């Protein structure tokens, strides 16, 4: 595990041979929702010795339709996420979309996430790097894995070597994504730990109805293949009732299914690393 990740997880008891997990709801729907999900994640990951980062978007900027939910306000969303992190003793992450957001969000979270569509935005990457926070860059659906080295290089050139790269599928036609697992070792060649975004890689974007679809029944398949391919971490969005979620419900994992899946993944990881 990279030194900056060891420092990030130093308050948690975990198996250093395990993958790490970034998980939570897509967006801050309410304080109660974030705390319900956070409590479940914290308990399960503690039992399974999985290092955990709690995630939620405080603002949803990339929406298919103008009528889609975007959040309850920046201060509220960031405040809830920070409060949950302190309460559960967990690092937290959220995505940002502009240079101004980098500075604003850095006061509340441990990891700044760069959305896939913005992974080539040099000034955004530089702004995130200058905060000194860990920067997690999602691979654009339009990019190859090897090309993500340039995103990592930009952040390091700005004086920050705390970089994570995340695979989240590649555009396939107009309304589907496909995962090329070669991207995991290819992106690791950049020297950054690589995460598999399990749930977003199962999206079916650009639906005629204005709401993104998904294939959540394949979450286990994507996650297991990523661990077998050597991913350092997994990204999974989860919700107690995905059908009622305010964002990305079509591709989220139902919260009560998470523990069983993680048990399988821990066993698979042990077989892969020989532990």
């Amino acid at each position: 595990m990279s030194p900056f990740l060891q420092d990030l997880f130093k308050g948690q008891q975990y198996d250093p041979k395990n993958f790490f997990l970034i998980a939570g709801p897509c967006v801050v729907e309410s304080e109660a929702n974030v705390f319900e999900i956070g409590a479940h994640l914290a308990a399960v990951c503690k039992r399974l010795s999985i290092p955990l980062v709690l995630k939620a978007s405080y603002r949803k900027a990339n929406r298919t339709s103008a009528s889609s939910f975007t959040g309850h306000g920046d201060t509220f969303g960031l405040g809830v996420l920070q409060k949950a992190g302190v309460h559960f003793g967990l690092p937290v992450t959220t995505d940002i979309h502009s240079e101004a957001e980098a500075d604003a969000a850095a006061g509340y979270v441990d990891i700044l996430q760069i959305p896939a569509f913005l992974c080539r935005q040099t000034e955004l990457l530089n702004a995130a790097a200058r905060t000194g926070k860990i920067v997690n860059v999602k691979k654009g659906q339009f990019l190859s894995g090897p090309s993500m080295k340039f995103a990592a290089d930009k952040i390091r050139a700005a004086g920050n070597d705390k970089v994570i790269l995340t695979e989240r599928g590649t555009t396939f036609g107009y309304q589907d994504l496909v995962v090329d697992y070669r991207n995991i070792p290819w992106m690791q060649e950049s020297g950054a730990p690589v995460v598999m975004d399990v749930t977003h890689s199962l999206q079916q974007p650009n639906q005629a109805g204005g709401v993104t679809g998904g294939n959540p029944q394949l979450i286990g398949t994507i996650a297991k293949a990523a661990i077998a391919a050597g991913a350092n971490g997994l990204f999974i969005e989860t919700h107690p009732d995905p059908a009622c979620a305010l964002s990305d419900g079509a591709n989220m994992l139902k919260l009560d299914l998470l523990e069983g899946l993680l048990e399988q993944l821990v066993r698979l990881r042990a077989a892969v690393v020989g532990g």
Side-chain angles (χ1 to χ4, degrees):
M1 184 179 289
S2 301
F4 70 84
L5 288 178
Q6 292 176 6
D7 186 59
L8 180 72
F9 297 126
K10 64 184 178 183
Q12 301 181 50
Q13 294 182 347
Y14 63 89
D15 182 348
K17 292 184 178 181
N18 248 339
F19 58 90
F20 64 93
L21 178 67
I22 302 174
C26 179
V27 66
V28 176
E29 298 182 3
S30 67
E31 182 174 310
N33 178 257
V34 172
F35 270 67
E36 177 185 359
I37 295 170
H40 186 83
L41 289 170
V44 169
C45 289
K46 181 178 180 180
R47 184 178 74 79
L48 296 175
S49 298
I50 299 172
L52 172 66
V53 178
L54 180 63
K55 68 82 50 187
S57 296
Y58 73 96
R59 179 200 295 184
K60 296 299 294 183
N62 175 29
R63 311 299 288 136
T64 301
S65 168
S67 63
S68 298
F69 177 75
T70 59
H72 293 298
D74 294 357
T75 302
F76 174 81
L78 287 168
V80 167
L81 194 54
Q82 182 184 55
K83 184 177 179 180
V86 171
H87 180 81
F88 297 113
L90 297 172
V92 293
T93 185
T94 196
D95 42 339
I96 59 170
H97 314 87
S98 69
E99 297 168 59
E101 285 187 48
D103 288 330
Y108 295 84
V109 304
D110 304 280
I111 303 175
L112 296 175
Q113 178 181 293
I114 308 299
F117 284 120
L118 301 177
C119 69
R120 288 171 53 111
Q121 299 297 107
T122 301
E123 291 306 315
L124 176 59
L125 294 174
N126 288 343
R130 288 193 297 267
T131 67
K133 298 291 182 176
I134 298 169
V135 184
N136 177 20
V137 189
K138 289 196 173 183
K139 182 184 74 65
Q141 301 92 322
F142 44 85
L143 290 179
S144 69
S147 66
M148 284 299 289
K149 74 174 291 292
F150 300 108
D153 288 347
K154 290 177 183 179
I155 294 166
R156 290 172 177 142
N160 188 340
D161 62 358
K162 296 179 288 188
V163 186
I164 298 171
L165 298 179
T166 293
E167 162 66 18
R168 55 95 73 234
T170 301
T171 298
F172 185 73
Y174 289 108
Q175 295 173 324
D176 206 358
L177 299 169
V178 65
V179 177
D180 182 350
Y181 288 95
R182 296 176 300 175
N183 285 333
I184 292 174
W186 278 340
M187 289 196 291
Q188 286 170 333
E189 290 177 1
S190 71
V194 173
V195 171
M196 180 73 230
D197 183 342
V198 177
T199 45
H200 285 104
S201 68
L202 289 168
Q203 285 183 330
Q204 293 179 309
N206 306 317
Q207 297 297 308
V211 177
T212 296
N215 287 298
Q217 71 276 12
L218 295 175
I219 288 172
T221 300
I222 297 293
K224 291 170 188 175
I227 293 298
N232 303 99
L234 298 176
F235 179 109
I236 298 175
E237 288 189 339
T238 184
H239 192 281
D241 186 0
C244 294
L246 298 182
S247 177
D248 280 0
N251 52 267
M252 280 202 277
L253 180 66
K254 196 169 186 297
L255 187 61
D256 62 10
L257 300 178
L258 182 66
E259 185 169 12
L261 174 59
L262 291 177
E263 288 174 343
Q264 295 177 48
L265 295 173
V266 167
R267 293 196 296 270
L268 179 59
R269 173 73 170 191
V272 169
V273 301

